[in-house]
């Protein structure tokens, strides 16, 4: 057997072994192939397949997607397609397949001028792949609050996807000149375990930020369940836009004096 024949045989064997590990429903298998070949693939087609993906994910029916021939034979073509909707489908499939081979290019694309729909699924794919090195880029994107991007949903995913990377990124940007970056940093960090270093930073910001931004600081204080807050927050309790968040922070405090003060403020407010 010559080298060429041996190579063909190896490729054939690999394709068979990959196909045997494929466990996705036949309908999805067919949809991926048709999407790759459909020159008139439009947004409605993407959403139809996306709904299938959600349905099958709920049933845990997408095991070894990256082992399916419909995936590995078509994903690169979809990923590099000039058709926006095909690229969106590629990003969605990459996230489902936890295929990290596209991570570097996905990072490039979230920093490009691609649409909010594309960035929704490219960022989701990076987080699904637990791509820690994307943390800074994701943070900068989310803190810019791009129009059309479901930032609240994506930030909730961001906090959970790689805790160590996210913490490192947040501390990197916590003293940024960009207030949105500072706000996102403290809000993300406040979601994690109690942190004395963070709490000291929050007190610093409470004293230095203007009243329009103080609400974010107090919200973070509340999430950290900080104690002995009455002496710190009482002087802001008459600021109209801070009343509700101050009451929540006092209610979340483990200090009884704070809880009592929260009731007083609530009664006064009513």
């Amino acid at each position: 057997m010559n080298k060429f024949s041996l190579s063909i045989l190896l490729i054939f064997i690999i394709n068979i072994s990959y196909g045997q590990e494929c466990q996705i429903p036949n309908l999805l298998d067919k949809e991926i192939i048709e999407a790759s070949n459909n020159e008139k693939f439009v947004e409605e087609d993407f959403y139809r397949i996306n709904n299938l993906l959600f349905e099958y994910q709920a049933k845990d029916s997408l095991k070894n997607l990256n082992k399916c021939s419909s995936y590995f034979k078509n994903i690169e073509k979809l990923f590099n397609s000039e058709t926006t909707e095909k690229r969106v489908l590629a990003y969605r499939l990459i996230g489902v397949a936890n295929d990290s081979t596209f991570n570097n290019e996905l990072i490039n694309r979230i920093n490009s001028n691609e649409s909010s729909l594309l960035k929704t699924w490219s960022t989701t794919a990076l987080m699904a792949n637990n791509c820690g090195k994307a943390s800074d880029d994701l943070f900068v994107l989310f803190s810019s609050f791009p129009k059309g991007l479901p930032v609240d949903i994506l930030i909730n995913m961001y906090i959970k996807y790689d805790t160590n990377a996210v913490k490192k990124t947040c501390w990197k940007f916590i003293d940024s000149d960009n207030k949105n970056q500072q706000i996102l940093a403290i809000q993300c960090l406040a979601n994690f375990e109690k942190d004395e270093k963070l709490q000291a930073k929050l007190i610093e910001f409470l004293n230095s930020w203007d009243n329009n931004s103080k609400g974010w600081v107090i919200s973070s204080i509340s999430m950290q369940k900080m104690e002995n807050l009455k002496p710190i927050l009482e002087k802001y309790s008459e600021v109209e836009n801070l009343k509700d968040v101050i009451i929540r922070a006092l209610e979340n405090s483990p200090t009884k004096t704070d809880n009592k003060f929260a009731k007083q403020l609530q009664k006064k407010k009513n």
Side-chain angles (χ1 to χ4, degrees):
M1 182 180 292
N2 59 39
K3 290 183 178 179
F4 178 75
S5 299
L6 182 59
S7 297
I8 295 295
L9 178 60
L10 286 172
I11 292 171
F12 179 72
I13 292 171
I14 290 170
N15 283 340
I16 289 177
S17 64
Y18 265 63
Q20 287 176 339
E21 292 184 58
C22 179
Q23 298 178 28
I24 67 171
N26 290 333
L27 177 58
L28 179 59
D29 203 53
K30 180 182 176 183
E31 287 277 19
I32 294 172
I33 296 169
E34 289 183 354
S36 181
N37 296 321
N38 183 0
E39 294 183 1
K40 297 181 179 180
F41 191 81
V42 295
E43 196 167 307
E44 288 181 4
D45 296 315
F46 164 70
Y47 282 117
R48 184 185 67 255
I49 299 174
N50 193 35
N51 287 337
L52 274 180
L53 290 168
F54 279 126
E55 178 185 338
Y56 294 147
Q57 280 180 299
K59 297 177 181 178
D60 197 24
S61 301
L62 296 178
K63 293 179 180 178
N64 298 326
L65 172 60
N66 61 341
K67 303 295 184 183
C68 299
S69 61
S70 59
Y71 176 84
F72 67 78
K73 286 183 178 180
N74 293 288
I75 191 61
E76 194 164 340
K77 180 180 177 182
L78 290 167
F79 187 80
N80 292 314
S81 173
E82 293 183 2
T83 303
T84 295
E85 292 77 14
K86 288 189 178 185
R87 295 203 306 279
V88 175
L89 177 60
Y91 301 167
R92 179 73 168 101
L93 291 171
I94 288 166
V96 172
N98 299 128
D99 185 351
S100 62
T101 58
F102 293 91
N103 283 352
N104 288 337
E105 183 55 30
L106 284 170
I107 292 173
N108 290 335
R109 293 190 187 185
I110 68 172
N111 290 308
S112 72
N113 61 355
E114 285 197 326
S115 70
S116 59
L117 178 61
L118 282 160
K119 288 187 178 183
T120 296
W121 291 108
S122 56
T123 55
T124 300
L126 284 165
M127 290 187 284
N129 290 343
N130 216 35
C131 181
K133 66 181 178 180
S135 181
D136 284 4
D137 298 275
L138 292 168
F139 182 95
V140 171
L141 176 64
F142 297 155
S143 62
S144 67
F145 293 92
K147 185 178 180 181
L149 204 69
V151 175
D152 288 346
I153 295 172
L154 293 171
I155 288 174
N156 284 333
M157 295 172 63
Y158 177 71
I159 292 167
K160 299 170 185 175
Y161 99 103
D162 186 324
T163 300
N164 290 332
V166 170
K167 285 181 178 179
K168 185 177 179 180
T169 295
C170 289
W171 280 110
K172 177 179 178 179
F173 287 96
I174 201 166
D175 288 315
S176 168
D177 292 332
N178 183 314
K179 185 55 66 69
N180 282 344
Q181 291 179 351
Q182 288 187 288
I183 289 170
L184 182 56
I186 63 173
Q187 286 278 288
C188 288
L189 289 170
N191 275 276
F192 301 123
E193 69 279 355
K194 285 191 174 185
D195 184 339
E196 290 183 4
K197 180 182 175 183
L198 171 63
Q199 292 181 10
K201 202 71 176 172
L202 293 175
I203 298 301
E204 175 191 327
F205 289 159
L206 183 65
N207 292 327
S208 61
W209 287 11
D210 61 59
N211 286 345
N212 289 328
S213 301
K214 275 184 170 65
W216 294 106
V217 181
I218 298 170
S219 171
S220 300
I221 287 172
S222 178
M223 285 189 280
Q224 281 280 292
K225 294 183 174 10
M226 290 174 61
E227 57 190 27
N228 299 317
L229 296 177
K230 182 180 178 181
I232 301 169
L233 298 179
E234 188 170 13
K235 58 185 173 182
Y236 304 114
S237 62
E238 294 301 321
V239 180
E240 191 62 36
N241 67 307
L242 298 179
K243 288 181 179 180
D244 288 339
V245 70
I246 285 174
I247 290 172
R248 285 199 300 273
L250 292 165
E251 288 174 339
N252 281 340
S253 168
T255 308
K256 290 183 178 180
T257 306
D258 291 339
N259 304 152
K260 183 178 179 180
F261 186 45
K263 291 179 181 178
Q264 292 172 356
L265 291 178
Q266 187 65 58
K267 185 177 181 180
K268 185 178 179 181
K269 183 184 170 194
N270 295 336

